Amino acid sequence: MGKPVSVPNHDPSEGRSEAGGTFENLGRKLDERPEVQAAQEALRHAQEQLERAKQQYHEIRAQAVEGMSKPEDRKVSDLVATALEMVRKHPGPGVLAAVALGWFAGRIFRR
């Protein structure tokens, strides 16, 4: 075979640091692009909306649990007042519930 090839003293970490610097520069350049910034903003906005939705869910759930805590101790007028209050706060689900109840009542009392 041939003569062994001598390699000058080379620190392998040098290439890594240069590559790391290159990737960092590339990352910074990508972060500055308007498309990436728009995507980051959209993601932040979606996360904020998710947090608000979670908060609303927990509030509504707590109200519902409180409202249903002991229905046998409540009067019919209290139940109606609570239902009306929930419909005022959240009209969409109230309308859907009314439609569903009407449909079931129609099916039950059909001749």
Side-chain angles (χ1 to χ4, degrees):
M1 307 240 174
K3 287 177 146 183
V5 178
S6 66
V7 177
N9 289 341
H10 178 68
D11 184 11
S13 65
E14 283 179 24
R16 287 187 199 133
S17 66
E18 289 174 10
T22 302
F23 285 123
E24 286 176 16
N25 289 337
L26 180 61
R28 274 189 236 114
K29 286 181 182 179
L30 285 175
D31 286 343
E32 293 172 359
R33 294 196 55 131
E35 300 90 2
V36 174
Q37 290 177 351
Q40 288 173 338
E41 180 63 25
L43 179 62
R44 185 189 61 75
H45 184 67
Q47 287 173 333
E48 288 174 358
Q49 285 182 332
L50 177 63
E51 287 302 315
R52 279 185 289 204
K54 284 181 181 179
Q55 210 171 24
Q56 250 184 349
Y57 163 77
H58 290 296
E59 289 172 6
I60 292 169
R61 185 175 188 278
Q63 289 173 358
V65 167
E66 180 183 315
M68 299 198 141
S69 56
K70 290 187 181 176
E72 62 273 355
D73 295 343
R74 303 178 103 191
K75 297 178 185 175
V76 173
S77 61
D78 291 341
L79 292 174
V80 170
T82 302
L84 289 174
E85 182 182 337
M86 291 297 283
V87 169
R88 280 188 199 105
K89 286 183 181 178
H90 310 286
V95 168
L96 291 175
V99 167
L101 286 172
W103 186 81
F104 283 116
R107 298 289 282 176
I108 290 172
F109 296 114
R110 180 185 256 174
R111 292 186 196 184

